[in-house]
Amino acid sequence: MSASGSKRGAIIALLAAVCGVCQALFPRESPSREVKDVSGLWSFRADLSPDRNRGFEHEWFKSPLAETGPVIDMPVPSSYNDITQDARIRDFIGWVWYEREEWVPDRWIQDQGARIVLRVGSAHYYAVLWINGVKMTEHGGGHLPFEADISSVLRQSSSNPIRITIAVNNTLTLQTLPPGSIQYMTDRTRYPAGYFVQNTNFDFFNYAGIHRSVLLYTTPQVYVDDITVETSFSDNVGLVSYNVSVLGSFKSAVKVTLSAKDGRCVATASGSRGVLKVTDVNLWWPYLMHENPAYLYSMEVQVTAEDGRTDFYTLSVGIRTVKVTITQFLINNKPFYFHGVNKHEDADIRGKGFDWPLLVKDVNLMKWLGANSFRTSHYPYAEEVLQMADRHGIVVIDECPGVGIKDIRSFGNVSLAHHLTVMKELVRRDKNHPSVVMWSVANEPAAEMQPAEFYFKELVSYTKSLDSTRPVTYITDSNYARDRGVKTFTSFCPTFHNLVPFVCSLQLFKRYVSLYILLAC
């Protein structure tokens, strides 16, 4: 085996080892599913011990958090940094602990045919989840959801309400995404013993906490685990290729129905894979590009188990195509110009915590500006953000948290394996959004470094294997002639050889920038 082959094999092994619980479909209520939001006011305690490990040493998860020491109120979703007036909390690095007691409906527990799942929309950056003191799962990486089937624990325990405990650590290392480093200050004339700071290479505050909703939801034992939709059209006929993943049974029956906005059924099919044909199709168009932008169909998937119990899941579908030529970016075979913003999820007090009023205001501001697009700089945004983009025809460049990769040690196999895992989770979460037209794998990495060539070749190749319908991009501030990532993108798109990179000008709210965006078409 070649050296590159051995390296690739090591990365694949690491990827298998670090893959945790991947998120499922966005929780929605249906005739077979219920959703209970357990966000709100949680008990909170920061582990202020010198090594930040007292919570694990004393097993704080085994008893109510208030019995371990003083707790404070903490809203979820939110960043904890700006909630208090305590500078130690604002700048805290290490483990913090969240807890909430919640009633679970008796009918959920008594129904042996129901799965009960707890889902955390996002926790920065490493999280461990317990139910009634029993460890359920752990997850590495912020911005993306994780979940656990907690049915067995609930049915084994007679206690009600249940106690949900989540420990969250925001420490960034050279192997996390984004990367960072811990620097201990040894000058005792200026700093106390054990004093350290978190160093980063990005230009936004390192907010931390549980940033998205925490949900309990149910499904039948045989359920829709995932749906993949790819769309195209020919003349006035739309084509919706679908692939439904079902867990819990190998003999279930699958039925798929596609409906127009007025509720009229336009196509049906049976089986877990198939193609729906829509005559007189209404395409999904970006805002200001068509008189009827952002048209969404509704796809209902029904999975019926051998015992007759049926799971229902509904997915919004926008029929559109994306293509890149040497000089143009095409949506539905027509040139599209990105006129929009790079934005952040930061907000006063709430930090990166999800907030509906702020989201609606942002969409209104973008449309008021005449913007038709934005880039999720520099991390994945909440799923609700993409749902709004779908509904309003706002085009999205979906970026992973690959910002600040400046140290050569962040191009190693462990870092790459984690980066691949993040892309897997991101693509699985966002692949069905018509608003998403590109995957961005990094922002301004040190791409002139020698290891960057192999790193981005593997990263882009893997991302393309996850989704072949969208171009892959990254944003670079390296000199083009020395940028080793260029070889990666030109190898995927030979027509780009010897060409200046695709340039996209995006307007920020306070300044203008021109970004070199390399495309693997």
Side-chain angles (χ1 to χ4, degrees):
M1 182 181 291
S2 66
S4 61
S6 299
K7 192 172 184 181
R8 184 173 294 108
I11 292 168
I12 292 172
L14 275 169
L15 179 60
V18 300
C19 274
V21 180
C22 289
Q23 75 287 349
L25 297 166
F26 186 78
R28 301 182 188 279
E29 292 202 318
S30 73
S32 61
R33 298 180 175 220
E34 291 186 74
V35 179
K36 180 179 174 66
D37 194 337
V38 295
S39 305
L41 207 58
W42 289 54
S43 296
F44 176 90
R45 184 181 181 189
D47 187 342
L48 295 169
S49 61
D51 62 0
R52 305 296 198 252
N53 205 45
R54 183 176 298 161
F56 287 94
E57 293 172 348
H58 293 188
E59 299 180 319
W60 289 356
F61 54 86
K62 284 193 171 180
S63 59
L65 193 59
E67 295 181 6
T68 70
V71 298
I72 62 174
D73 292 335
M74 186 61 62
V76 171
S78 75
S79 302
Y80 58 72
N81 307 86
D82 292 338
I83 300 300
T84 76
Q85 297 304 108
D86 188 340
R88 296 178 304 168
I89 301 299
R90 180 195 64 207
D91 301 323
F92 185 81
I93 303 296
W95 288 103
V96 297
W97 293 72
Y98 288 81
E99 181 190 86
R100 181 179 172 95
E101 290 191 345
E102 191 70 33
W103 289 93
V104 176
D106 283 341
R107 66 180 181 280
W108 289 14
I109 297 174
Q110 293 167 3
D111 182 359
Q112 297 294 321
R115 293 172 63 249
I116 306 172
V117 181
L118 188 136
R119 186 181 200 263
V120 180
S122 170
H124 284 193
Y125 283 94
Y126 199 94
V128 185
L129 167 67
W130 295 265
I131 299 294
N132 295 339
V134 179
K135 183 179 175 181
M136 293 284 96
T137 191
E138 55 189 286
H139 181 261
H143 311 285
L144 294 168
F146 62 95
E147 62 181 30
D149 185 336
I150 64 174
S151 310
S152 60
V153 171
L154 297 191
R155 294 188 176 114
Q156 290 171 4
S157 174
S158 59
S159 63
N160 207 356
I162 63 169
R163 181 164 49 85
I164 306 168
T165 307
I166 305 175
V168 181
N169 193 321
N170 66 332
T171 305
L172 297 176
T173 71
L174 292 173
Q175 283 74 46
T176 59
L177 208 65
S181 62
I182 297 295
Q183 180 181 2
Y184 283 89
M185 302 302 189
T186 57
D187 184 350
R188 292 293 167 265
T189 64
R190 300 181 63 188
Y191 303 101
Y195 187 87
F196 64 88
V197 295
Q198 172 77 75
N199 292 323
T200 62
N201 283 304
F202 48 78
D203 55 359
F204 52 91
F205 188 78
N206 188 30
Y207 281 115
I210 300 178
H211 288 156
R212 313 244 169 92
S213 298
V214 180
L215 305 174
L216 285 165
Y217 73 93
T218 64
T219 74
Q221 292 292 344
V222 178
Y223 62 99
V224 180
D225 171 62
D226 196 10
I227 304 170
T228 301
V229 169
E230 296 180 1
T231 66
S232 61
F233 65 93
S234 178
D235 296 326
N236 71 329
V237 178
L239 302 174
V240 179
S241 175
Y242 69 88
N243 183 5
V244 178
S245 170
V246 178
L247 292 184
S249 173
F250 295 105
K251 298 181 179 180
S252 55
V254 179
K255 180 182 178 182
V256 178
T257 304
L258 193 70
S259 300
K261 274 187 176 181
D262 59 7
R264 176 175 45 88
C265 175
V266 296
T268 61
S270 297
S272 59
R273 293 172 179 260
V275 178
L276 300 168
K277 295 184 178 180
V278 183
T279 57
D280 297 322
V281 63
N282 287 298
L283 299 179
W284 187 93
W285 289 98
Y287 175 61
L288 298 178
M289 196 173 176
H290 191 270
E291 61 183 9
N292 185 26
Y295 191 94
L296 294 173
Y297 291 89
S298 179
M299 173 187 283
E300 182 182 76
V301 177
Q302 301 179 34
V303 173
T304 303
E306 294 175 272
D307 63 2
R309 187 160 179 169
T310 300
D311 185 26
F312 297 84
Y313 189 86
T314 301
L315 179 73
S316 294
V317 173
I319 300 175
R320 62 103 182 96
T321 59
V322 170
K323 184 179 179 181
V324 177
T325 70
I326 294 177
T327 58
Q328 293 179 317
F329 193 98
L330 306 178
I331 294 180
N332 298 336
N333 299 325
K334 291 190 176 182
F336 177 79
Y337 180 75
F338 289 85
H339 182 69
V341 300
N342 296 299
K343 64 188 293 294
H344 277 293
E345 287 187 306
D346 295 7
D348 293 344
I349 301 174
R350 197 179 269 274
K352 291 193 183 301
F354 176 72
D355 185 276
W356 272 113
L358 288 173
L359 171 57
V360 174
K361 183 63 174 178
D362 274 355
V363 171
N364 287 333
L365 279 171
M366 283 187 282
K367 296 177 79 171
W368 173 71
L369 285 170
N372 61 11
S373 56
F374 66 86
R375 176 169 64 113
T376 68
S377 50
H378 301 292
Y379 38 81
Y381 293 176
E383 291 154 286
E384 293 88 344
V385 175
L386 299 181
Q387 291 165 13
M388 283 287 282
D390 292 342
R391 290 197 295 271
H392 289 268
I394 306 297
V395 171
V396 178
I397 302 173
D398 204 353
E399 190 161 275
C400 80
V403 57
I405 307 176
K406 299 294 188 181
D407 192 297
I408 195 169
R409 291 168 291 179
S410 293
F411 287 104
N413 286 359
V414 174
S415 299
L416 177 54
H418 178 56
H419 207 149
L420 296 176
T421 300
V422 169
M423 292 311 302
K424 179 180 180 179
E425 294 185 1
L426 176 62
V427 171
R428 186 178 189 208
R429 193 195 74 163
D430 295 347
K431 62 189 174 185
N432 294 322
H433 290 284
S435 58
V436 174
V437 300
M438 280 194 279
W439 306 114
S440 176
V441 297
N443 177 74
E444 299 181 358
E448 68 280 1
M449 292 184 176
Q450 189 277 330
E453 183 175 345
F454 176 83
Y455 189 96
F456 284 108
K457 181 178 180 181
E458 294 299 305
L459 185 58
V460 172
S461 176
Y462 183 69
T463 304
K464 291 296 294 181
S465 74
L466 296 172
D467 176 23
S468 62
T469 68
R470 295 175 175 90
V472 179
T473 179
Y474 80 164
I475 288 77
T476 180
D477 60 352
S478 299
N479 180 281
Y480 179 59
R482 297 196 299 269
D483 192 314
R484 295 178 180 271
V486 171
K487 296 181 180 179
T488 294
F489 289 91
T490 54
S491 68
F492 282 97
C493 215
T495 54
F496 281 0
H497 274 302
N498 302 318
L499 292 177
V500 176
F502 182 80
V503 178
C504 176
S505 297
L506 299 106
Q507 177 185 347
L508 291 102
F509 286 114
K510 294 184 179 179
R511 61 191 176 95
Y512 290 87
V513 294
S514 290
L515 304 170
Y516 290 99
I517 301 182
L518 301 168
L519 298 176
C521 50

